[in-house]
Amino acid sequence: MNTPAPTIDLDRLQDLLDAVPAPLEPLDVAMLDGYLTAIALQPKAPPPGEWLRWVLDSEEGRAPPAGFDVEPIRALAMRRLQQLDTAVRGRQWWDPWVFAPADEDGEDADPEDWETVLATVYPWVAGFALGADSFPRGLMGCKEADLLEGLAGIYQFLDPEDLEDADELLEAIEGIEPAANLEEAIEHLVAHSLLLADVSRPQKAATAPRPGGPGGARKPPRRPPGRGGYSR
């Protein structure tokens, strides 16, 4: 019988990140989740000390001042990384930490509106990009052509100007059917992360034929029925 993963107190985690002293620029929890997803996709997991420094300072990876206790942040981030690693290894769905903005009345913004979609998923995607770019010999060291579909599905939510000199990636993004709403956008994040896992962390070849015949493309999982549209 599987034991449910312990719940992580996101408010406490955000408070801990907010307490990181200036001039360091820590990630927020949504960016952290995207960042840790990229860490979970590395072919060889970097040591905690290497990835934690970018959590504490997303600008330069600077060390915190002497006397600042990083252990509470490290422990909660490590717990989330273990959850993501389990999902990636098992090619299972997980709920990304993304948060829809509120409208002027304090209610959740319209999840069908494209501006709402971008505002919700952008921090996660920016964190993912930081995690991917911070370890160029890892995930991004895989064969570029094999990464294109997965990266395109995630980076479609970035400003194209942030992807200059990435013509093949931009072309791949143009070939993706845009998400119709926030729920579909979140599906894109998870499904395309798992496509990247097939490249960077391939599973052992199964003896049974894959759907679609020999060499057929694997379909990434869709959100299980009853799962929420986004984290709160």
Side-chain angles (χ1 to χ4, degrees):
M1 180 176 179
N2 293 330
T3 302
T7 301
I8 298 174
D9 187 336
L10 296 186
D11 289 333
R12 177 170 182 264
L13 178 53
Q14 185 61 63
D15 287 343
L16 290 168
L17 293 167
D18 289 341
V20 173
L24 275 62
E25 295 286 346
L27 301 175
D28 63 23
V29 292
M31 292 183 69
L32 173 63
D33 198 53
Y35 175 82
L36 291 177
T37 300
I39 299 303
L41 290 171
Q42 300 297 325
K44 181 178 180 181
E50 291 188 16
W51 59 256
L52 182 60
R53 66 192 188 98
W54 295 103
V55 173
L56 301 174
D57 182 34
S58 60
E59 295 296 323
E60 300 178 21
R62 293 167 289 189
F68 180 76
D69 185 11
V70 304
E71 179 56 25
I73 294 176
R74 187 207 66 80
L76 291 175
M78 180 62 75
R79 187 188 303 175
R80 179 55 171 173
L81 180 57
Q82 290 169 346
Q83 293 175 352
L84 293 168
D85 178 73
T86 297
V88 166
R89 282 189 288 107
R91 301 302 194 263
Q92 300 168 352
W93 178 270
W94 71 89
D95 287 324
W97 291 349
V98 295
F99 310 93
D103 61 21
E104 58 185 15
D105 296 322
E107 301 294 331
D108 286 341
D110 181 6
E112 307 290 325
D113 181 72
W114 184 244
E115 293 301 320
T116 298
V117 171
L118 291 180
T120 303
V121 303
Y122 180 84
W124 193 99
V125 175
F128 182 96
L130 175 65
D133 293 342
S134 295
F135 301 93
R137 296 184 180 180
L139 171 65
M140 301 305 288
C142 297
K143 187 176 179 181
E144 182 177 355
D146 294 338
L147 296 174
L148 275 179
E149 182 180 1
L151 289 178
I154 295 172
Y155 289 172
Q156 63 176 307
F157 303 107
L158 295 177
D159 189 322
E161 293 184 0
D162 294 334
L163 299 173
E164 58 186 29
D165 301 325
D167 293 342
E168 291 186 0
L169 179 56
L170 288 169
E171 183 177 348
I173 289 173
E174 290 179 359
I176 293 177
E177 182 177 354
N181 51 45
L182 181 53
E183 183 173 353
E184 286 191 9
I186 294 171
E187 283 192 0
H188 277 247
L189 300 183
V190 177
H192 287 87
S193 293
L194 292 178
L195 288 179
L196 290 173
D198 283 347
V199 178
S200 64
R201 299 185 60 181
Q203 295 176 312
K204 293 182 179 180
T207 54
R210 290 164 56 174
R218 183 188 67 83
K219 290 186 177 181
R222 294 182 63 83
R223 179 194 310 279
R227 298 297 285 268
Y230 49 87
S231 300
R232 295 299 300 268

